Amino acid sequence: MDDQANLSVKDQVSDEEWKARCDLAALYRLVHMHGWDDLFFTHISMRVPGPEEHFLLNPFGLLYEDVTASNLVKIDLEGNVLPPSQYGINPAGFTIHSAIHEARSDVNVALHLHSDAGVAVAAQKGGLRPISQLAMNIMNDVAYHDYEGLALEEDEKVRLVKDLGEKNLMILRNHGTLSVGDHPFSAYIRIYLLERACKVQVMAQAGGELIEWDRKMQDRVFGQSDQIAANEFFKEIAWAAVLDRVRRESPGFDA
């Protein structure tokens, strides 16, 4: 028993789970580096490889720059912490992420934010508008979910996953943004594009009349960008480059 207690987390999990933990911790550090963190009130999850329906979340109350591979919390779809941990999880985070991981077997990563620009666009009736290439890269992949208060009610899960459908981005009205992906880079690049598109939109609205493109142009740009994003080799080399940046600017995530 004493020997087990003295083992590091890395020694107690599979190589596949440890890699997932390192990738997820890197995503938390990236969110902090971009200034998208809201203290500790948003959340990113990653499915644990294997047959069990387990996923990883951040310890509630821990700042994103302090998240590491070892202190991430593993939970099941019922919210049980596995194994018991000194840390708890954000109840709203569990509601959102358990719903998505249970409904979408293709989703390995789900990333939810409350950035200023994202919330600003989420508060607009028209939502994201086709005024930038950034927006048109992703507009066809954006779903919307109406505000229901803090995401604490079990029955909201049904509506959340229905609204998300097969899309990979969501604007939660009056609340924030969300992205999902089969790979950490997929979820990251989607939220990166959405957050930048929201920021550009808010900035542009402070100026003159906006130029909005029609559906034909939206479809064209989305199709062009989707071909690149679907390339598996691109995802791997791009994620490796992003990880190198995190190691330089926020070391220690993989401990």
Side-chain angles (χ1 to χ4, degrees):
M1 181 69 71
D2 290 340
D3 290 341
Q4 182 71 19
N6 290 329
L7 288 175
S8 68
V9 173
K10 185 176 182 180
D11 291 332
Q12 298 181 57
V13 302
S14 66
D15 291 343
E16 293 78 12
E17 179 175 334
W18 184 251
K19 182 180 184 304
R21 284 174 170 270
C22 291
D23 285 341
L24 182 55
L27 282 171
Y28 278 100
R29 300 296 185 94
L30 279 166
V31 166
H32 172 66
M33 288 160 58
H34 284 295
W36 295 334
D37 47 339
D38 180 17
L39 286 179
F40 33 71
F41 292 112
T42 57
H43 16 82
I44 316 168
S45 64
M46 182 171 289
R47 191 185 299 274
V48 176
E52 300 89 356
E53 292 291 327
H54 297 163
F55 62 96
L56 302 163
L57 269 179
N58 55 312
F60 193 35
L62 201 64
L63 297 174
Y64 281 19
E65 61 264 39
D66 296 323
V67 172
T68 67
S70 295
N71 62 33
L72 287 162
V73 179
K74 180 163 63 175
I75 56 177
D76 62 21
L77 293 176
E78 285 70 50
N80 299 305
V81 177
L82 308 166
S85 170
Q86 62 177 316
Y87 299 110
I89 58 170
N90 185 331
F94 170 73
T95 299
I96 293 170
H97 293 269
S98 63
I100 292 170
H101 284 296
E102 184 172 18
R104 292 274 301 268
S105 60
D106 61 310
V107 170
N108 289 322
V109 182
L111 198 163
H112 170 53
L113 302 177
H114 300 157
S115 74
D116 292 350
V119 175
V121 172
Q124 298 178 14
K125 287 185 178 181
L128 188 65
R129 300 169 66 177
I131 63 169
S132 70
Q133 180 170 280
L134 289 161
M136 289 185 285
N137 276 326
I138 55 172
M139 282 196 70
N140 289 12
D141 205 20
V142 177
Y144 291 84
H145 176 63
D146 286 339
Y147 188 62
E148 300 189 25
L150 297 182
L152 301 174
E153 303 300 328
E154 183 74 17
D155 62 354
E156 186 177 356
K157 289 184 178 183
V158 176
R159 294 181 290 277
L160 182 75
V161 297
K162 181 180 179 181
D163 289 339
L164 181 62
E166 296 302 313
K167 295 190 175 181
N168 296 300
L169 285 162
M170 176 177 276
I171 292 177
L172 295 90
R173 295 193 184 276
N174 307 96
H175 183 174
T177 56
L178 181 141
S179 74
V180 301
D182 62 340
H183 187 282
F185 184 75
S186 300
Y188 170 65
I189 195 62
R190 286 172 178 141
I191 206 73
Y192 175 85
L193 291 170
L194 179 55
E195 288 294 327
R196 287 204 61 212
C198 288
K199 184 175 182 179
V200 167
Q201 178 168 318
V202 173
M203 293 173 68
Q205 287 169 327
E209 184 177 356
L210 301 178
I211 302 171
E212 293 201 20
W213 285 94
D214 58 17
R215 174 59 66 180
K216 183 178 179 181
M217 181 60 76
Q218 294 173 43
D219 292 343
R220 179 184 181 187
V221 176
F222 180 77
Q224 291 171 325
S225 62
D226 197 46
Q227 291 177 19
I228 300 172
N231 185 294
E232 294 297 325
F233 179 67
F234 172 73
K235 284 191 284 191
E236 290 298 333
I237 62 171
W239 182 239
V242 170
L243 284 178
D244 283 343
R245 181 183 183 187
V246 178
R247 290 189 184 97
R248 288 192 302 271
E249 300 183 22
S250 187
F253 72 93
D254 50 357

